[in-house]
Amino acid sequence: MSTASSSSKSFPQVRSDCVVSSPAAVPFRVPATFSGTVTPTTPRSAAAQSSSNLHSLHNPRRPMFIGIGGGRGAGKEYTCRYIIEKVRQRGHSELADRVVHLHLDDFHRELTSEEQTQLDEGKQQINVDHPESYDFELLHRVLAQLSQGESAEVPTWDRDTRKRTGWQTTESGPRVVLVEGTLVLFVKDVRRFLDIQVFLDVDSDTRLGRQVRATLGGPGETDLRRFLDNYLYVAKPSFEEFIWPTKRWADVIIPKGDSNDVAIELIAQRLIDLGQD
């Protein structure tokens, strides 16, 4: 469907750990170590899932890990907060206080000085949804520490400046770890920690509308055309190539995402059941 006229369009070069010389917003080739969609691992069977959960219950130091993926604007962060709120509303405040909520966005890798200069000068764009934009090794270390009942140092990320603004220490001995982000289910070594893998299935129009409202309603002025160009040539291709395929790994697919009260209630009840065992 591409034509000579479309391929000759001049778009800013996209930077996501590697320079892409074509107008395409995302690289079509991803290192195999990051490519969760082509790993030989198959989706877990119900028996394997049950075994994983039993391991969590019989190891008092190991928390239950729940990964929540989906596209930007699907409501992943809100879903996590809503789950915790539901647990607290049902009279299990102690359990709710022992839930650690991790944001994958906080694990973006920091830009080099050269990349930051190119970004500031408008010579490059940053594709925040490319797998190579994340420090999955750091996330793996954090999950490993939490799985042993230890506290962990977690970075905080400023999306506007593309920089880490500091570090926070989680509480030790969590009962539940909620980790959410667009590519939470992308890497096999991360999926191995997860007892429940969730994908929020929200239609693209709803997600786009939410992103427009959040972006244009935030601090500073954002040009609508620039935002939509980024969506069409960066965010949408990234979703289709990297995020959407991770749906195959989900144990639970939630239609309507954070608007699905029934599904969120069920997950909250699962956490309460865990706390009572």
Side-chain angles (χ1 to χ4, degrees), residues 14-20 25-36 104 107-112 115 126-137 157 164 182-183 186-187 238 241-243:
V14 176
R15 185 80 186 187
S16 57
D17 294 356
C18 58
V19 175
V20 183
V26 295
F28 290 102
R29 296 177 61 85
V30 184
T33 53
F34 291 101
S35 191
L104 182 62
F107 290 85
H108 272 107
R109 73 168 185 84
E110 292 193 286
L111 302 181
T112 65
E115 291 169 337
I126 301 299
N127 181 4
V128 296
D129 287 325
H130 191 282
E132 294 179 11
S133 293
Y134 292 96
D135 190 344
F136 283 111
E137 291 184 3
W157 176 261
R164 288 177 182 169
T182 56
L183 292 171
F186 191 83
V187 176
S238 291
E241 185 170 354
F242 303 122
I243 301 170

Side-chain angles (χ1 to χ4, degrees), residues 42-64:
T42 56
R44 294 174 300 172
S45 64
Q49 178 66 48
S50 176
S51 174
S52 177
N53 287 342
L54 285 174
H55 174 69
S56 297
L57 296 177
H58 293 165
N59 183 352
R61 296 190 64 191
R62 187 187 188 280
M64 170 179 280

Side-chain angles (χ1 to χ4, degrees), residues 85-149:
E85 179 185 337
K86 286 292 184 183
V87 171
R88 196 180 303 278
Q89 287 177 353
R90 295 188 181 186
H92 298 271
S93 297
E94 183 178 353
L95 175 61
D97 290 339
R98 296 182 64 186
V99 176
V100 170
H101 179 186
L102 300 178
H103 309 267
L104 182 62
D105 278 352
D106 284 331
F107 290 85
H108 272 107
R109 73 168 185 84
E110 292 193 286
L111 302 181
T112 65
S113 57
E114 178 183 359
E115 291 169 337
Q116 187 65 53
T117 298
Q118 292 177 332
L119 176 64
D120 294 340
E121 294 176 351
K123 296 179 180 179
Q124 302 287 346
Q125 292 187 55
I126 301 299
N127 181 4
V128 296
D129 287 325
H130 191 282
E132 294 179 11
S133 293
Y134 292 96
D135 190 344
F136 283 111
E137 291 184 3
L138 176 58
L139 175 61
H140 185 276
R141 290 199 300 272
V142 168
L143 296 179
Q145 289 176 297
L146 293 174
S147 71
Q148 297 299 317

Side-chain angles (χ1 to χ4, degrees), residues 1 7 9 12 22 29-30 59 66 73 82-83 106 117 119 130 138 168 176 183 197 200 205 207 225 230 244 269 272:
M1 188 167 155
S7 61
K9 277 187 177 182
S22 72
R29 296 177 61 85
V30 184
N59 183 352
I66 300 177
Y82 197 24
I83 290 171
D106 284 331
T117 298
L119 176 64
H130 191 282
L138 176 58
Q168 293 183 337
V176 179
L183 292 171
Q197 300 175 152
L200 303 186
D205 289 342
R207 292 188 292 101
R225 176 171 296 192
N230 180 270
W244 176 253
Q269 185 59 52
I272 293 172

Side-chain angles (χ1 to χ4, degrees), residues 11-15 23-26 72 119 124-129 159 162 208 211 215 222-239:
F11 296 112
Q13 208 170 36
V14 176
R15 185 80 186 187
V26 295
R72 292 205 176 272
L119 176 64
Q124 302 287 346
Q125 292 187 55
I126 301 299
N127 181 4
V128 296
D129 287 325
R159 185 182 177 91
R162 318 284 187 181
L208 174 59
Q211 292 176 75
T215 302
T222 300
D223 179 70
L224 180 58
R225 176 171 296 192
R226 185 169 69 249
F227 171 81
L228 292 178
D229 281 347
N230 180 270
Y231 175 80
L232 291 173
Y233 301 113
V234 180
K236 189 173 185 290
S238 291
F239 174 80

